[in-house]
Amino acid sequence: MSDFNLPGTIDRVDGRQKVTGSATYAAEYRPAGMVYGVLVGSRIAKGTIKAYDVKAAENAPGVLAVIHHLNRPNIPGYAAAEGDTGPGGLKLFASDKIYFDGQPVALVIADTCERAVHAASLVKVAYQKEAPQTDLLKIKDKAQAPKRGGAPYKRGEAGAWQKAPVTVQGEFLLPHEIHHPMEMGSIIAVWEGADKLTVYDKTQGVKSAQRTYAQLFGVPADNVNVISPFVGGGFGMAIRTWPYQVAAILGARKVNRPVKLMLDRSQMFTMTGYRPFTWQKIAIGASRDGLLQGITHEAVGASATYEEFTEGVVRMSQIMYACPNVDTLYKLAHLDVSVPTWMRGPGEATGAFALESALDELSYKLNIDPVELRIRNHADKDPENGLPYSSKFLKECYALGTEKIGWYKRNRTSKSMQEDGMLVGYGMSSGIFGAYRSPASARALLRADGTLLIQSAASDIGPGTGTAMVKIAADILGLPYDKIKFELGDSNLPPAPTQGGSGTTSAVGAAVHDVCTAVKEKLTELIKATHDTNFHPGDQPPAFKNGSIQTGNTVISFGELLRRNNLQEIDLTRNSKAGEERQKYSFYSFSVHFTKLHVHPDTGVVKIKEIVTVADAGKIISEKTAASQMIGGVIGGIGMALTEEAIFDHRYGRYVNSNFADYHVPVNADVPHIDVLFVNKPDPYINPMGAKGMGEISLIGYAASVTNAIYHATGKRIRQLPVTLDKIAL
Ligand code: MOS
């Protein structure tokens, strides 16, 4: 692991608040008069509601309201959206129609949480059942092209792999995976007046949530305040808003009290999206010296019947390697399930499993080391559009990783290595994800007491956004970290994008960079205009250090400089966005993962022993939080490889393991020491800091390094995740 005590590393600015419990999460606010909402979920996966019996619930102690489709107050924003979905997803309590098991069918509001839970258990719903279809493999052949996005892709010749002298092909399966952040979906909705709403919300995007709620309830966006300073993990589930949030806001309006609604763990399986079950078929052809001649990649992802979700499952096959002939096809199977959504490394994480497994298989067929095979097919320019990369240090990643894990010291033959009676496997894989820069804005307020407040409506779901922003500001202005405060997670702050797609450090960081640079320029102007500071035109530019400006022999603190100029503060706001460089270059981050593991020769138990993960994410702003972010993504990858799977009983269209006893996320004992290495070279074009993103690439590709290592250890090629014992069956 990186040495966390290096000079220049910064502790997480909100770490103390988080570990001591003083950080306030959405469900922890206590507005006066708050009451509690609990959603009742459908017990069937497909059909219609015939009748409700809510008498017992309504008469239960403390109950204020029971809302369902027969008595639901109007939601003005639904009228403009045709069909079953509107802003916020599936229209809440819109009709008698059931689309999936667990679909909200009623909201119970009571004066205490316990009373609301109890009353919800008394709501009786009679259904007309229909047979649900939740099995993608049963309807795979009827899969349809998505309405938006995911168009078929071809460069060169389709199916060219078949003509190559060496070929591999295989089908791959990935199950439904659930995000499962520690903090479950939570909201407290407070109507401050007929058209003024305050929402304490778990969200990755306060501005987009604000827009959605304003649209839904027909109030001006400025009258909606979404507050979300702390988020206990998200992984994509809180990028968009969901019907449970609509329910709380609607309920609060109905009972005219603040309503708190928090999902329970089992509701997290059906009410906030997931990574969809996906079938893939990939075929690769290469010359005998390992040059790729054709890739054909086909995928069918699960989606819902009422709303479509698409992701770039086949995209990595299009963009990762220098291959002249690539064709891909992506389709959706519309199932009686809730709609999926983005989950860390959306699309690429799924596709990388197929592509990076198939390449490993090809490396054995060719008898070329898998790292060497990838280097031979390294794309020197973007294979999709021929553009140069803004920066690409993927070869450096291979070099750093192979060195660290001792890659070339292993015996490359599969089933050749043993240690302590265990079969030993080494595996590797790569990842890629676009590096973006959305428009963002930030305000800086430098006060006469020498403290700096920076504000932006960003979110921090865990990567350490606040910490990175403080680091950027400190480096520009030469201010100690503890003099800087970064405020985020409030829709009243200057606009920033939703935290997603590994884009926050780039977008918000650029705004913070720009506004701090403007403050620095203002301070420089002031010192030039201040006559008693020995500053002469033609002197070296002043140095900014330790909250002071140094010119010649004079050291003057920011505060003193403001006072001498009769200023209380410097208050500036800057909007920042990408320029035409986006048209001239292709922007991507890259990762390479190495895994060493043991497989028990009799039982097939897999124990990961060592992980080295390397990233080209441009300039690393804050080494410690960045390494921590990478470690988190890799742990998600361990779950994907070995443990995580939401399992349907297709007879009922219902999950059978919708709890943490049966849905296994990796625990400490599953996670070995993880070395994180960064190339740490700035990208010259992406933003003024040179920082690309790393949230997605930390996970993308990781699972294949495990299955590739299992192949190396055992000679078994496993193409279905997660790799449970039954699949190894030695
Ligand atoms: Mo992520 S899926 O960009 O939260």
Side-chain angles (χ1 to χ4, degrees), residues 204 234-237 239 342-346 461 499-502 696:
Q204 294 176 231
F235 313 116
M237 60 134 294
I239 286 179
W342 305 282
M343 180 165 158
R344 202 164 190 175
I461 59 174
Q499 181 152 72
S502 308
E696 324 297 324

